[in-house]
């Protein structure tokens, strides 16, 4: 198999392989239904918008998120610890994506597939399992298990030690955590940017930008054809 593979692909999980924001919104709607008394005098749309902003696409420290949520809505019957325990049910709201599964099936015959992700080991593994994606990946590196968190290059270096190819592509949705360290290590990069967010390019010796930018993970195959 190694002789037929074109390159090693490193994938992020949240909002790259898995629509984490959609899963969080489903979780949030369920959470509000279960805690209606705490939001009785609130405008539902405003509450949802506020909590989504607090969540920051899952990038905010979860302890800080729980504390801020309780400060904003003191009627919630939780402590920070019990709120986190409730939040751990998020993987139950992840939905499978048959188009993505079919694409990964095709890619797995052409590339070495690996994952490099921040987050709780239990949470991230359960998300992948809930989406039916775990079996596509030869190695899954989660920051909580390795001891380094993106954008720390040591997490990337750990993963690179398992790559069979000199051609390596990082695929992720976070410019600071995924793209910048990968570019600094001279990896190829594919930036998954559904909202076409404008990112400020940090100028060091010269400006650097991802090699490819796509608005959906489903466009990855075409991007790789132009890249590899």
């Amino acid at each position: 198999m190694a002789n037929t593979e074109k390159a090693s692909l490193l994938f992020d999980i949240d909002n790259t392989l898995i629509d984490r924001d959609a899963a969080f919104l489903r979780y949030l709607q369920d959470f509000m239904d279960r805690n209606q008394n705490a939001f009785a005098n609130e405008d539902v749309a405003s509450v949802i918008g506020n909590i989504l902003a607090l969540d920051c696409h899952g990038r905010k420290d979860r302890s800080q998120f729980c504390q801020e949520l309780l400060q904003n809505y003191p009627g919630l019957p939780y402590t920070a610890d019990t709120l986190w325990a409730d939040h751990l049910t998020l993987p139950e709201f992840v939905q499978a994506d048959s188009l993505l599964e079919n694409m990964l099936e095709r890619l797995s015959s052409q590339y070495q597939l690996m994952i490099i992700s921040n987050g709780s080991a239990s949470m991230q593994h359960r998300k992948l399992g809930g989406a039916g994606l775990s079996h596509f990946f030869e190695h899954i590196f989660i920051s909580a298990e390795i001891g380094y968190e993106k954008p720390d290059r040591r997490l990337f270096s750990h993963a690179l030690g398992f790559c069979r190819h000199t051609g390596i592509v990082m695929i992720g949705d976070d410019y600071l955590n995924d793209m910048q360290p990968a570019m600094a290590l001279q990896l190829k990069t594919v930036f998954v940017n559904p909202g076409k967010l404008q990112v400020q390019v940090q100028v060091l010796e010269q400006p650097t930008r991802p090699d490819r930018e796509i608005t959906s993970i489903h466009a990855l195959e075409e991007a790789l054809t132009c890249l590899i």
Side-chain angles (χ1 to χ4, degrees):
M1 180 176 178
N3 291 332
T4 62
E5 291 174 346
K6 299 177 182 178
S8 298
L9 307 184
L10 302 179
F11 288 84
D12 174 52
I13 295 178
D14 289 329
N15 293 324
T16 298
L17 286 170
I18 289 172
D19 192 341
R20 184 263 175 203
D21 285 351
F24 182 78
L25 180 58
R26 288 188 287 270
Y27 162 78
L28 178 55
Q29 292 167 333
D30 176 78
F31 178 80
M32 292 178 66
D33 286 343
R34 290 185 283 111
N35 294 280
Q36 292 183 18
N37 290 339
F39 305 108
N41 299 318
E42 304 279 354
D43 176 72
V44 172
S46 295
V47 171
I48 290 175
N50 186 39
I51 296 178
L52 291 177
L54 290 176
D55 174 61
C56 195
H57 305 289
R59 292 170 184 155
K60 182 177 290 184
D61 175 81
R62 292 296 87 185
S63 175
Q64 181 182 351
F65 167 74
C66 290
Q67 291 172 2
E68 291 180 357
L69 185 57
L70 293 175
Q71 290 169 1
N72 277 264
Y73 303 100
L76 286 169
Y78 298 91
T79 65
D81 287 340
T82 58
L83 183 58
W84 169 242
D86 191 274
H87 185 69
L88 288 174
T89 64
L90 177 61
E92 298 173 13
F93 297 86
V94 169
Q95 294 183 347
D97 180 340
S98 61
L99 292 177
L100 176 60
E101 291 180 57
N102 291 337
M103 183 186 75
L104 290 174
E105 183 70 41
R106 293 189 297 271
L107 290 177
S108 65
S109 67
Q110 305 173 62
Y111 302 91
Q112 180 189 22
L113 306 187
M114 303 164 66
I115 282 175
I116 176 171
S117 173
N118 286 348
S120 155
S122 172
M123 180 86 86
Q124 298 303 75
H125 283 293
R126 286 167 55 220
K127 287 176 189 174
L128 289 170
L133 302 181
S134 301
H135 65 285
F136 289 113
F137 298 93
E138 183 176 329
H139 299 289
I140 298 174
F141 301 110
I142 309 297
S143 61
E145 294 176 321
I146 306 304
Y148 305 114
E149 184 174 277
K150 295 184 293 186
D152 193 321
R153 295 184 198 178
R154 289 175 292 183
L155 179 57
F156 286 83
S157 295
H158 179 86
L160 295 182
F162 292 82
C163 292
R164 287 194 291 270
H165 307 278
T166 55
I168 303 169
V169 184
M170 177 67 206
I171 301 125
D173 73 300
D174 190 315
Y175 184 80
L176 295 178
N177 286 336
D178 297 325
M179 299 293 99
Q180 283 198 336
M183 289 186 291
L185 291 167
Q186 298 184 327
L187 308 183
K188 298 289 187 181
T189 48
V190 177
F191 184 31
V192 183
N193 188 12
K196 294 187 177 180
L197 300 177
Q198 295 296 315
V199 294
Q200 182 176 359
V201 176
Q202 182 178 359
V203 178
L204 298 175
E205 294 181 359
Q206 56 183 337
T208 56
R209 293 185 181 276
D211 294 293
R212 292 289 183 274
E213 183 172 327
I214 55 179
T215 57
S216 167
I217 189 65
H218 300 110
L220 179 61
E221 284 177 295
E222 182 179 355
L224 292 174
T225 298
C226 301
L227 195 59
I228 303 298

